[in-house]
Amino acid sequence: MSKTEHNPAYGEHDRDFSVMFAALGDPTRLAIFDRLADGKPRSISVLSDDADMTRQAVTKHLRVLETAGLVQSHKVGRESQYAFCPEQLAEARAYLDQVAGRWESALMRLKTFVEGDQD
Amino acid sequence: MSKTEHNPAYGEHDRDFSVMFAALGDPTRLAIFDRLADGKPRSISVLSDDADMTRQAVTKHLRVLETAGLVQSHKVGRESQYAFCPEQLAEARAYLDQVAGRWESALMRLKTFVEGDQD
DNA sequence: ACATTATGCAACCTCCTTGTTGCATTTAAT
DNA sequence: ATTAAATGCAACAAGGAGGTTGCATAATGT
């Protein structure tokens, strides 16, 4: 699996979804992402308040989420507000739907084959 | 965010989806998962053949996927076959749909509020 | 002006992840 | 019976992830 040339991980669509999944693959980050899904942007301080870790740790998590394109930040005054970003989520959903679809049709083919076998 | 008591990451549904996302959050594992979506079970050797890493590494990845419930294994003869497992995928999709839904309705509420403001 | 709040940066630590290698074991093939 | 194939287990190493602390800086509040 040479990540340089044709990596089956990228399948038909040439994207690395593993980056996004990795971003969601940490409970703290998933909690932040989940929380921001109400659309309200929040500052780092606010997001750190009820976290049982330092503000710096939360900052790092937010950067990971932002790199993955799951949230966006913009500075307003002295604070940086982080907001939900739906595009990547949509792509993740589309990808999982596609995988599920492939599996479904594989099932169908098998079913048809077996039924045809009985006739 | 004490993982022991009420962690916002688990939201309304008390599951830790971050485990599943973490499993998909590695390019090699995502590639394997993607590949198995055609429904055909494959042995470790087969899955290792076109991977640019050792069989042991692939074995570890498969165990991670299995722990996350994304694949299932069963021994047949001397080899262990790994097969796609759709349930967890369905749950992941449902979760992401729910998050997207929350964001959508937040958008709607905002839109209604703004429109009502103009009247 | 001065204190406070919100953040950024950098160094550091620890542990888990990812990958390796070597050897043992079980099963199949000849 | 021997050989080859498929796997499991354990020890190991390197690097990255997740977290901390200390200090510097920019923007607000009084």
Side-chain angles (χ1 to χ4, degrees):
Chain A
M1 294 187 186
S2 52
K3 285 160 198 162
T4 48
E5 36 185 78
H6 185 62
N7 186 334
Y10 303 84
E12 291 68 39
H13 35 67
D14 46 9
R15 275 210 41 196
D16 189 0
F17 288 103
S18 70
V19 173
M20 188 184 344
F21 289 133
L24 296 177
D26 175 276
T28 302
R29 283 195 298 264
L30 186 56
I32 293 174
F33 181 68
D34 195 276
R35 186 176 176 190
L36 289 175
D38 66 358
K40 299 176 187 150
R42 289 173 178 83
S43 70
I44 298 178
S45 305
V46 169
L47 289 170
S48 304
D49 277 342
D50 53 344
D52 60 356
M53 68 187 66
T54 59
R55 170 184 55 86
Q56 287 303 324
V58 173
T59 300
K60 287 191 186 179
H61 282 304
L62 285 170
R63 298 226 171 115
V64 172
L65 285 171
E66 186 167 29
T67 299
L70 290 164
V71 303
Q72 265 182 335
S73 73
H74 70 283
K75 297 213 64 166
V76 40
R78 68 180 151 181
E79 55 191 31
S80 44
Q81 305 267 84
Y82 281 80
F84 192 82
C85 191
E87 286 81 12
Q88 296 302 307
L89 172 59
E91 292 211 34
R93 291 205 293 153
Y95 171 69
L96 292 185
D97 287 356
Q98 185 251 60
V99 173
R102 289 215 315 279
W103 189 77
E104 285 283 348
S105 44
L107 259 202
M108 285 314 238
R109 277 194 294 277
L110 179 60
K111 188 162 171 272
T112 309
F113 172 71
V114 172
E115 281 170 353
D117 213 29
Q118 291 173 333
D119 282 7
Chain B
M1 296 190 185
S2 52
K3 285 160 201 165
T4 48
E5 35 185 79
H6 185 61
N7 185 334
Y10 304 83
E12 291 69 39
H13 35 66
D14 46 9
R15 274 211 40 196
D16 190 358
F17 289 103
S18 70
V19 172
M20 189 184 344
F21 289 133
L24 296 177
D26 175 276
T28 303
R29 283 195 296 265
L30 186 56
I32 293 173
F33 180 68
D34 195 276
R35 187 176 175 190
L36 289 175
D38 67 358
K40 298 176 190 149
R42 289 173 179 83
S43 71
I44 298 178
S45 305
V46 170
L47 289 170
S48 304
D49 277 341
D50 51 344
D52 58 357
M53 67 188 67
T54 60
R55 170 184 55 86
Q56 286 304 322
V58 174
T59 300
K60 288 191 185 180
H61 282 303
L62 286 170
R63 298 225 171 114
V64 173
L65 285 171
E66 186 167 30
T67 299
L70 291 164
V71 303
Q72 266 182 335
S73 74
H74 70 282
K75 299 214 64 168
V76 40
R78 67 180 152 181
E79 57 191 30
S80 46
Q81 304 267 65
Y82 281 80
F84 192 82
C85 190
E87 287 81 13
Q88 296 302 307
L89 173 59
E91 292 211 34
R93 291 204 293 153
Y95 171 69
L96 293 185
D97 287 356
Q98 185 252 62
V99 173
R102 289 215 316 279
W103 189 77
E104 286 282 348
S105 45
L107 259 201
M108 285 314 239
R109 278 194 295 276
L110 180 59
K111 187 162 172 271
T112 309
F113 172 72
V114 172
E115 281 170 354
D117 212 28
Q118 292 172 334
D119 282 11

